[in-house]
Amino acid sequence: MPACHLVFKAMGSPCELHLHGPDAAETRRVAESVIADVQRLERRYSRYRDDSLTSAINRVAAVSGRCEVDAETAALLDYADTCYRESDGLFDITSGVLRRAWRFENACAPEPEAIAALLDRVGWDRVVWKRPFLSFGRPGMEIDFGGIGKEYAADRAAALCLDAGIRNGLINLGGDVRVIGPLPDGDPWRIGIRDPERPETLLGGVLMTGGALATSGDYARFLRIAGRRYGHILDPRTGWPVLGLVSVSVIAASCLVAGSLSTIAMLRGRAGIEWLRSLDIPHLWIDAEGGRGGSGVFADLLKTPG
Amino acid sequence: MAATDRPRSITASAECGDGTRPVRRSSAVRTAAGGAPGINKTISALTSAALALPGLASSVQAAGPMERQWDVGYFHYEEGGERMRVESLKQSLVLPLGDALDLTLNAVRDTISGASPIYNVPEIRCQDGRVFTAPVISVSGASGNAEPSGTRPERPPLNTGDCRLGSARQVMLEDTFQDVRSAGDFKLNYYRGDTSLGLGAGVSREQDYDSRFLSLDLRREINDKLTTLAFGYSLASDTFSPLNKPDFSGDKDAHQILLGLTQVLGRNDLLQINLTLGYDQGYLTDPYKNVYLLSTNAAIDESRPDSRRQWNLLARYNHYFTAFKAALHLDYRYSRSDWGIDAHTLEAAWIQPLGQGWHLIPRLRYYTQSEADFYQSYFETLPASGDYSSDYRLAGFGALGGGLKLTRQVTSQARLDLGVEFYDRQSAYGLQEHADSAFADYGFTVYSLNLHLEF
């Protein structure tokens, strides 16, 4: 079966597509339409682009205004709202404004007053979301789809491939992986998991024939303050980076769900370990002390030495 | 003795056999661990919100071959009053065959024993306090307790003022010896893009009843996969060789056409409408049922029309309650046949996740039907139409049913279901106008245990 393998850069990350289809030209066309859709979502939702919809919404948010959004954005806001409720307020798309206090290039903590001032502009509960209208309870707020957009793009990519009749494929958008069926010969895809302590090496691989794998945590960017290691994921209640876990990987049916679950686990800190266990899904956690654990295919991976 | 009274499928109990199934399967996603989205409340909340995003419903519920899975179940069906008992073992194996095909293999073995009603006789009550059961001259059924022919049984003269007809009483076919039903079928599904095509066939064998069936169905998802259209056709060809009629066998063909529409109304709502048209032709009489004829004091074989047209409407509404993380399923069915039976069914089920992989599913059902045009509990004289039956299933009645199912996801690959279901038929529960058939009231209980494995 003809294969199409494309590597590209989108959403600030290296991305790749492996698609297998009955017809080479058609498979190539599908791959190109997938990349076009990923780029469309990036243009729409990137907070780094002034011409994005996110930036337009944030200009309204800056003056505590109200705006009407389209159906796709409304569904993303609904999804963000569900994440907020399911995480007891930890997963909050308004918390990005806190990044202004945390410059990970500097090796020191921000002033408490700076954090307090920013916390005043954080809180999904200060946003009134009544489809299709979004209004902001106080000036200076911001939203960003950082924790959702890439995962949504991966799921949409899979949907486009399935619609086009592709039954064997792998989509990797900067580490958020979505798998469509097995390899054409029936073998599962082998997906490498990076070792947070030694980013150039792999912890091992997991085998997948469907579903999605997402990882939260950033071992490359962290601060060490008073001997403690702080990541870049910020707790919207304290304004401080969360402590405890440095990396969480989750396997679920969709990339969005896998991504949100891994992020919520990170936000819960060490309590995230028990929470992950209660979800009864394949997961892997690694804490700041180098301890690790997990279930499902990851438990097997942890058992294998090296 | 083959007992035709018992439900042919225990899970779809008694009279609601319209054969309609939900068209939309739950998630057909394969994950590395066979992950089951929707088991945990957080996962199900996130998944349903994710499915509302443009295009994603298709990717997560993409029509594609089902996962490899095996179900094995045991059912115990027991009617009250020492009537019918059925022990049933079922198994079902689903095998994906490549990218576009899956094969389902089902096998059932039922062991049936117990008694079933053959006909009804009126009781005769006299002023002096005597109560007679009308003596019956002969039974052409399979019963071994038929009166020896020759002597004419005595009956007090009726309508003289001293003695009059009272309520009826069922005469049972006792000691039905054990019968075993073995059935097997396969279904092959082919998936291509938004369309899937299914082809199925099967056989069922009993001592006195053979059935072969064939089915074809076509499903197509349109409107960004929010709408599913379904079309189905099935043909069953049955042969009845009653044990009480050595040189006789009757054939019956049953055709059924299904038109279905499933519509996702929002992220929490789903509506399904199915219309089923049925046409049965051939030997539709039950050879083990008699009618009692008052004019001659005799029990004779019943006789039904040799064709039946029937149509069913199913309307199903599912709603997911975000606050409870639970789902409500509401079903309404209306069925009408040219035998004169109109039936309404209202059913509600509540699917409540309890956490830690536990689910509790309570279910309640109400059913009411009018009586067939040719039904009477017993007959004075034979009607001119030539069609007559006293089968209690053709009487007007109502029924209340309910059940409780507890399921536990033991591991990501194994689920255990435990269920109990009850059914209570009462003449008085019927809403439509009908003759009293309280003498035929009965109930049953079904206990079930099922193991579901994905491997």
Side-chain angles (χ1 to χ4, degrees), chain A residues 118-202:
Chain A
L118 289 172
L119 275 179
D120 207 36
R121 292 154 61 181
V122 171
W124 181 245
D125 51 348
R126 290 166 170 164
V127 171
V128 181
W129 167 229
K130 280 236 182 296
R131 192 186 255 263
F133 298 105
L134 184 67
S135 34
F136 294 86
R138 58 189 69 201
M141 293 187 77
E142 271 178 28
I143 61 162
D144 80 73
F145 295 103
I148 302 176
K150 198 149 58 75
E151 291 83 350
Y152 169 51
D155 283 337
R156 261 192 72 88
L160 288 170
C161 292
L162 283 163
D163 279 350
I166 303 282
R167 292 290 176 265
N168 313 94
L170 180 142
I171 295 147
N172 180 355
L173 302 186
D176 289 324
V177 178
R178 178 71 196 262
V179 169
I180 308 164
L183 282 156
D185 60 4
D187 278 352
W189 300 90
R190 193 177 173 81
I191 295 153
I193 305 293
R194 192 170 286 171
D195 186 340
E197 265 103 55
R198 295 167 293 161
E200 67 288 353
T201 59
L202 295 180

Side-chain angles (χ1 to χ4, degrees), chain B residues 382-413:
Chain B
L382 282 186
S385 71
D387 297 322
Y388 39 90
S389 174
S390 299
D391 186 340
Y392 65 98
R393 290 165 299 176
L394 304 182
F397 65 90
L400 271 177
L404 205 58
K405 192 157 109 176
L406 189 65
T407 79
R408 160 87 162 128
Q409 193 76 33
V410 186
T411 70
S412 56
Q413 275 116 332

Side-chain angles (χ1 to χ4, degrees), chain B residues 104-422:
Chain B
T104 305
L105 297 167
N106 295 308
V108 189
R109 195 172 171 84
D110 294 343
T111 308
I112 308 117
S113 59
S116 61
I118 347 175
Y119 62 92
N120 317 305
V121 286
E123 284 177 330
I124 297 158
R125 294 178 178 275
C126 299
Q127 280 184 343
D128 57 10
R130 290 176 305 158
V131 178
F132 293 91
T133 299
V136 179
I137 292 176
S138 67
V139 177
S140 55
S143 166
N145 60 5
E147 297 287 328
S149 54
T151 46
R152 190 179 174 81
E154 287 297 313
R155 181 179 77 188
L158 292 171
N159 308 322
T160 55
D162 292 338
C163 297
R164 51 182 65 248
L165 289 171
S167 60
R169 182 177 77 77
Q170 281 183 317
V171 175
M172 304 293 284
L173 182 53
E174 301 289 349
D175 301 325
T176 306
F177 60 83
Q178 282 214 332
D179 194 8
V180 173
R181 180 174 86 102
S182 310
D185 67 78
F186 79 88
K187 174 128 192 242
L188 193 63
N189 284 312
Y190 171 69
Y191 304 89
R192 191 187 163 88
D194 295 337
T195 308
S196 64
L197 187 69
L199 172 73
V203 290
S204 162
R205 280 194 196 298
E206 276 163 90
Q207 218 174 351
D208 57 352
Y209 201 91
D210 281 352
S211 177
R212 295 160 296 277
F213 79 87
L214 188 75
S215 73
L216 254 178
D217 62 82
L218 183 72
R219 290 178 300 276
R220 188 168 168 80
E221 293 177 322
I222 55 167
N223 184 18
D224 208 11
K225 318 245 170 185
L226 295 177
T227 310
T228 305
L229 301 175
F231 169 80
Y233 169 74
S234 72
L235 169 65
S237 187
D238 301 353
T239 303
F240 216 143
S241 314
L243 301 175
N244 56 345
K245 296 182 174 51
D247 295 321
F248 172 81
S249 76
D251 292 330
K252 172 178 111 178
D253 284 340
H255 304 262
Q256 203 171 61
I257 290 173
L258 176 141
L259 298 171
L261 171 80
T262 306
Q263 178 68 44
V264 177
L265 297 175
R267 68 174 172 169
N268 292 332
D269 299 275
L270 186 139
L271 183 71
Q272 185 179 7
I273 306 279
N274 280 359
L275 186 65
T276 319
L277 301 160
Y279 179 64
D280 300 348
Q281 190 181 32
Y283 182 69
L284 304 180
T285 293
D286 186 331
Y288 303 120
K289 299 291 183 202
N290 291 166
V291 300
Y292 172 72
L293 209 56
L294 197 63
S295 58
T296 58
N297 238 12
I300 64 162
D301 283 358
E302 67 154 39
S303 169
R304 303 187 188 186
D306 56 11
S307 74
R308 175 169 57 174
R309 283 183 178 77
Q310 196 169 4
W311 66 269
N312 296 289
L313 174 78
L314 164 75
R316 165 168 295 166
Y317 172 66
N318 294 352
H319 180 76
Y320 179 77
F321 288 88
T322 323
F324 304 105
K325 317 264 190 274
L328 173 72
H329 290 198
L330 276 179
D331 284 11
Y332 167 72
R333 291 161 204 265
Y334 175 66
S335 144
R336 187 182 183 96
S337 82
D338 65 357
W339 283 8
I341 298 181
D342 273 5
H344 304 266
T345 312
L346 204 59
E347 181 165 348
W350 183 264
I351 297 147
Q352 180 67 55
L354 303 173
Q356 315 252 304
W358 291 92
H359 274 69
L360 188 66
I361 306 160
R363 185 183 298 277
L364 256 180
R365 192 157 69 95
Y366 171 71
Y367 175 83
T368 173
Q369 80 169 39
S370 63
E371 64 190 19
D373 297 334
F374 51 88
Y375 169 86
Q376 284 179 39
S377 52
Y378 58 89
F379 289 79
E380 293 274 347
T381 55
L382 282 186
S385 71
D387 297 322
Y388 39 90
S389 174
S390 299
D391 186 340
Y392 65 98
R393 290 165 299 176
L394 304 182
F397 65 90
L400 271 177
L404 205 58
K405 192 157 109 176
L406 189 65
T407 79
R408 160 87 162 128
Q409 193 76 33
V410 186
T411 70
S412 56
Q413 275 116 332
R415 194 189 71 226
L416 202 60
D417 305 341
L418 202 68
V420 60
E421 209 181 305
F422 74 89

Side-chain angles (χ1 to χ4, degrees), chain A residues 102 104 106-109 219 221-231 240 246 288-289:
Chain A
W102 293 93
F104 285 80
N106 313 339
C108 55
Y219 12 89
R221 282 198 299 162
F222 63 88
L223 273 178
R224 207 172 275 282
I225 300 165
R228 284 180 150 179
R229 177 174 163 159
Y230 292 90
W240 274 70
V246 295
E289 286 76 47

